[in-house]
Amino acid sequence: MTTIGVIGTGDFSAYLIAALRRGGHTGRIILSPHNRIKAEDLSARYGCTVAVDQLSLIEEADWILLAVRPEQLASALPTLALRPGQTLISAVAGIAAAELRVATGGSIRVVRIMPSSYIEAIGDGLIPMFPACPEVEAVLAAAGKVLVLNHEDQLDLAMIGACLAGWTYRFIAELENWFVERGLEPNQARALVAGNIAGAAAYATVLQDVSLNAISDAIATPGTFTKTGLDHLARTNAAVPWVEALEIVHRDLPASRTGQSNIQMRSKETR
């Protein structure tokens, strides 16, 4: 069975490893000792091994999961001497596969992924991946639903899509507070708001051949409370700030910068 070496033991590694183990993946996972406290905690919770050092991790692993923050990449890459034939699975936002391949060795295979934190708890949570790689997809399928993308720029869009989860928690919190202020218990308000949003999202996923506007129109018929509220949201352009937030993040993607590699740019940003 494939041995996965993990460089970076922060939140991303924690929820991906948790999702893999919850989904039944029993393969060996080796953790970088750079942050030994976090590595030992992950090891104790999910049956991983803490490497003696990064060199031994790279020597023993078949695949390397690179799960550092973009600003940490410039310092992480010089120590990442991969051998020909190894696979690098990158969870670093905005850094193209070609750049990683050049920086770590032209003969390695690079796969980029960008799942959201909810995969730790949700069995069918989304795991965007590029390019297609059946071996990696088969392992990640234990952690969630793998969405194989056709082009690399779609992976960057998937990263922006993952931001929606973080924003949605705040949206849910505002709605939850409204119901609590009017008499529901916090757990009841959470179940009501999150449950309806999750249900609508699941329904939208299942009915791929029906437009979302058509689904909404079938529910928000004249005279219904749904129609009354929906009309207000339309009049006030309630979706506009969400679209604007997407545009802001898209504009700030490293891939939109020109003249230097994104890795070089990240290195300068951290000085």
Side-chain angles (χ1 to χ4, degrees):
M1 186 174 287
T2 301
T3 296
I4 303 173
V6 181
I7 296 176
T9 51
D11 291 340
F12 181 92
S13 296
Y15 62 70
L16 181 56
I17 292 171
L20 286 168
R21 293 305 197 210
R22 186 207 65 245
H25 179 68
T26 58
R28 188 179 183 211
I29 299 177
I30 310 173
L31 306 175
S32 166
H34 180 71
N35 188 324
R36 184 162 290 277
I37 293 176
K38 286 188 175 181
E40 290 179 349
D41 176 63
L42 286 175
S43 177
R45 284 191 287 155
Y46 302 116
C48 305
T49 302
V50 180
V52 174
D53 52 36
Q54 189 156 301
L55 179 60
S56 66
L57 180 150
I58 293 172
E59 288 178 345
E60 295 178 45
D62 302 300
W63 300 347
I64 302 296
L65 172 63
L66 185 61
V68 299
R69 297 178 63 84
E71 62 270 19
Q72 299 169 327
L73 186 60
S75 60
L77 283 176
T79 63
L80 198 59
L82 301 188
R83 63 180 183 269
Q86 275 186 307
T87 296
L88 177 66
I89 303 172
S90 173
V92 184
I95 306 300
E99 289 191 78
L100 292 167
R101 193 174 294 109
V102 169
T104 57
S107 60
I108 67 167
R109 176 172 57 183
V110 177
V111 176
R112 294 180 61 195
I113 63 173
M114 195 53 60
S116 295
S117 58
Y118 55 73
I119 66 170
E120 180 176 356
I122 304 299
D124 59 351
L126 200 62
I127 305 177
M129 182 180 93
F130 174 85
C133 180
E135 300 94 330
V136 174
E137 183 179 352
V139 171
L140 292 180
K145 180 180 178 181
V146 181
L147 176 65
V148 179
L149 300 169
N150 300 322
H151 306 287
E152 188 164 16
D153 57 357
Q154 294 176 330
L155 195 286
D156 292 317
L157 291 174
M159 185 276 294
I160 301 175
C163 295
L164 287 171
W167 306 342
T168 301
Y169 296 128
R170 294 299 185 95
F171 176 60
I172 291 173
E174 291 292 329
L175 302 180
E176 180 183 303
N177 289 338
W178 186 91
F179 283 101
V180 170
E181 289 169 358
R182 283 153 184 79
L184 285 185
E185 297 297 325
N187 64 316
Q188 295 171 331
R190 174 71 58 86
L192 181 69
V193 176
N196 276 286
I197 290 175
Y203 196 59
T205 302
V206 171
L207 268 68
Q208 292 284 342
D209 58 341
V210 181
S211 78
L212 298 179
N213 286 342
I215 295 173
S216 177
D217 289 343
I219 300 169
T221 55
T224 62
F225 293 129
T226 303
K227 175 67 172 173
T228 298
L230 189 61
D231 285 347
H232 171 73
L233 293 173
R235 284 193 302 270
T236 56
N237 294 317
V240 168
W242 287 77
V243 175
E244 289 174 343
L246 291 171
E247 289 289 350
I248 289 169
V249 176
H250 186 255
R251 188 169 60 241
D252 288 347
L253 271 179
S256 67
R257 300 166 178 170
T258 59
Q260 301 183 69
S261 78
N262 295 326
I263 295 173
Q264 291 173 326
M265 183 68 74
R266 290 297 186 183
S267 178
K268 289 187 176 183
E269 288 174 348
T270 55
R271 292 174 186 171

